[in-house]
Amino acid sequence: MNAEIIGVGSELLLGQIANTNAQYLSKQLAEIGINVYYHTVVGDNATRLKETIHTAQKRADLIIFTGGLGPTKDDLTKETISAVLDKPLVTDEEALQSIESYFKKVNRVMTPNNKKQALVMSGSTILHNNYGMAPGMAIKVSGIEYLLFPGPPKELYPMFENYAKDYLLSKLEIKERIESRVLRFFGIGESQLETEIEDLLEKQSNPTIAPLAGDGEVTLRLTAKHADSKQAKKLIDDVETEILQKVGPYFYGYNQTSLPEELMKHLINEEKTIASAESLTGGLFSERLTSISGAGAVLKGSIVCYHNDVKQHTLGVLNETLNNHGAISVQCAKEMAEQIRIKCCSDIGISFTGVAGPKVQEGKEVGTVFVGIAIEGKETVVHHLQLSGSRQAIRQRSVYYGCHYLLKQLKERD
């Protein structure tokens, strides 16, 4: 079964809301073996919606609509589809009673247009809405399955899970499971990674391997298809093993994780604390950690020492260091990391100093970055980076490199 998802609503085209429904549905459909080949968005316009339906009918045998089932005049999805399919709209009494009960419960007057939400196409299977008013529906016409969902995710998600999923599974002749896994890498470019696993990319079939460059990192999505979910996972396991044999040192985690999250997990598991001294990053490192649940057990504190006076008088960097080597130097990064660890009584101190731009500072080019890592009982290490990109990109990538280097050093110790 090949699907097209059509999001209906001018607010989607205006960028007022993101089309998260299509993302959710694509993931759910993939898991039950339905291919999604097209995402389409159309505004609240009957003529354009009809044209969109006619286009979808030529290339899909499952067409899913989200949005446009509400009570207002611009909610025209089911009216338009009803006209295209020549299926009259009738009142679903159960839905109408549910809508009337809701208004009585909240002690509000039910306006006549709310009855519109109880209209469904004649002959359709009703998908009950347990978290809203307008029911969804499913109907097959001329060999094509049509599914209609309300737009609010809080209504659509449970409707799909509780009703639509079973409906679709009953229509599938071959029930294949699609399993996918994302491998995340840092410190290696997309082209280099593809070169390292070129032989695997050339022979891929099932599972497939899809590289994707992200914000300073690279991901590989592994997707396997099999009737048995366990067998699909085994196919992925086997390919993952081959990949990590080639580029394992750059691998740091799975799926939707991030370097700060992985660092946080490691610090929590090892019961280690950390403190940061931030010049270049201006508190961005500590912000990333504190945005993750559990940071209170890990992060002792942070000093944003943007000005040299703060580096010297608050943090404790030596005046001689600043005069002889400058704030943007190996020596300054080293002292910053060591001093913040001591002042915050933490196991680890990390520092960031450098030039984010837009101008050269202390004779150092834009993108020059020093990351210091001081671990109790170990020699302090300073990493020198030369990054490119915008001011914000340099700052963000500095934080990620800090997480990467520290995580790598901690794992090597283990």
Side-chain angles (χ1 to χ4, degrees):
M1 193 178 284
N2 300 323
E4 177 161 351
I5 300 170
I6 300 175
V8 183
S10 297
E11 66 276 11
L12 294 169
L13 294 174
L14 293 170
Q16 294 172 343
I17 62 171
N19 192 11
T20 54
N21 287 337
Q23 180 185 30
Y24 168 81
L25 288 169
S26 287
K27 182 179 179 181
Q28 296 299 318
L29 294 172
E31 289 181 359
I32 59 175
I34 295 176
N35 305 309
V36 178
Y37 287 156
Y38 298 95
H39 283 184
T40 304
V41 176
V42 61
D44 300 309
N45 180 282
T47 301
R48 287 193 286 275
L49 179 54
K50 286 179 182 178
E51 292 172 353
T52 301
I53 295 169
H54 291 316
T55 299
Q57 287 172 331
K58 297 172 185 177
R59 60 192 188 189
D61 43 33
L62 169 62
I63 305 175
I64 298 178
F65 301 85
T66 66
L69 303 185
T72 61
K73 288 184 179 181
D74 62 352
D75 290 313
L76 42 75
T77 298
K78 59 189 171 188
E79 288 83 356
T80 305
I81 298 171
S82 168
V84 171
L85 302 182
D86 195 24
K87 293 289 181 181
L89 292 173
V90 296
T91 298
D92 180 68
E93 292 299 330
E94 184 178 346
L96 181 59
Q97 289 176 13
S98 176
I99 294 169
E100 290 173 340
S101 296
Y102 168 79
F103 278 97
K104 288 179 182 177
K105 183 179 179 180
V106 297
N107 196 28
R108 285 170 50 196
V109 176
M110 176 176 162
T111 56
N113 61 350
N114 278 288
K115 292 183 178 181
K116 174 187 172 184
Q117 295 185 93
L119 293 175
V120 298
M121 283 185 286
S122 177
S124 63
T125 297
I126 305 304
L127 307 175
H128 298 290
N129 191 340
N130 299 329
Y131 296 89
M133 298 187 192
M137 62 200 86
I139 191 169
K140 186 173 184 177
V141 179
S142 302
I144 300 176
E145 294 282 355
Y146 299 84
L147 267 66
L148 285 70
F149 292 100
K154 67 176 184 179
E155 300 176 28
L156 187 154
Y157 295 6
M159 184 181 291
F160 180 89
E161 188 63 36
N162 296 330
Y163 304 108
K165 189 173 183 178
D166 287 341
Y167 174 87
L168 289 170
L169 285 171
S170 71
K171 302 298 180 181
L172 291 172
E173 295 179 4
I174 301 175
K175 297 178 174 64
E176 281 189 315
R177 292 283 300 181
I178 294 180
E179 296 289 339
S180 66
R181 182 181 305 162
V182 175
L183 310 183
R184 309 192 80 89
F185 301 85
F186 190 85
I188 184 172
E190 183 182 17
S191 58
Q192 183 187 346
L193 185 140
E194 287 192 26
T195 299
E196 296 291 339
I197 63 169
E198 188 174 5
D199 58 327
L200 301 179
L201 292 171
E202 287 178 352
K203 71 178 185 181
Q204 66 173 306
S205 56
N206 186 25
T208 58
I209 306 170
L212 178 66
D215 184 17
E217 61 181 281
V218 184
T219 62
L220 292 176
R221 178 178 291 277
L222 312 182
T223 305
K225 190 180 290 188
H226 200 282
D228 185 340
S229 177
K230 290 183 179 179
Q231 286 300 313
K233 289 179 180 177
K234 185 180 183 304
L235 290 170
I236 291 176
D237 288 340
D238 292 344
V239 171
E240 178 186 327
T241 298
E242 290 187 81
I243 291 171
L244 295 186
Q245 286 174 350
K246 297 174 180 292
V247 289
Y250 303 100
F251 169 76
Y252 76 83
Y254 295 99
N255 300 321
Q256 299 306 309
T257 190
S258 67
L259 276 164
E261 288 177 84
E262 291 302 309
L263 176 59
M264 177 76 78
K265 288 177 192 174
H266 193 88
L267 292 172
I268 290 173
N269 290 338
E270 298 299 316
E271 298 183 338
K272 299 294 184 184
T273 57
I274 190 170
S276 64
E278 305 187 55
S279 179
L280 162 81
T281 49
L284 192 57
F285 175 83
S286 57
E287 189 279 329
R288 288 308 308 268
L289 287 192
T290 55
S291 67
I292 303 167
S293 177
V298 168
L299 184 66
K300 278 291 196 75
S302 176
I303 294 178
V304 177
C305 45
Y306 221 63
H307 197 280
N308 282 358
D309 284 350
V310 180
K311 289 183 180 73
Q312 181 182 352
H313 300 298
T314 302
L315 190 57
V317 174
L318 295 175
N319 183 51
E320 291 83 355
T321 299
L322 296 171
N323 287 336
N324 296 336
H325 303 285
I328 305 163
S329 65
V330 171
Q331 293 80 0
C332 184
K334 178 177 183 293
E335 290 186 29
M336 287 170 63
E338 292 170 345
Q339 288 299 316
I340 194 66
R341 189 190 71 76
I342 293 168
K343 287 189 177 297
C344 291
C345 301
S346 62
D347 300 307
I348 302 163
I350 188 168
S351 66
F352 300 87
T353 184
V355 188
K359 297 178 181 179
V360 171
Q361 288 182 288
E362 296 183 356
K364 307 294 196 311
E365 294 294 328
V366 172
T368 301
V369 175
F370 295 96
V371 179
I373 297 173
I375 299 176
E376 186 176 14
K378 299 292 180 181
E379 185 177 350
T380 301
V381 177
V382 177
H383 298 274
H384 178 198
L385 299 167
Q386 193 63 50
L387 304 178
S388 60
S390 67
R391 177 180 173 82
Q392 186 62 10
I394 290 170
R395 295 172 70 244
Q396 289 178 340
R397 290 178 66 194
S398 296
V399 168
Y400 273 75
Y401 267 104
C403 294
H404 168 68
Y405 287 132
L406 177 54
L407 191 57
K408 186 176 180 181
Q409 189 170 336
L410 292 173
K411 287 180 177 179
E412 286 173 354
R413 289 178 66 214
D414 296 339

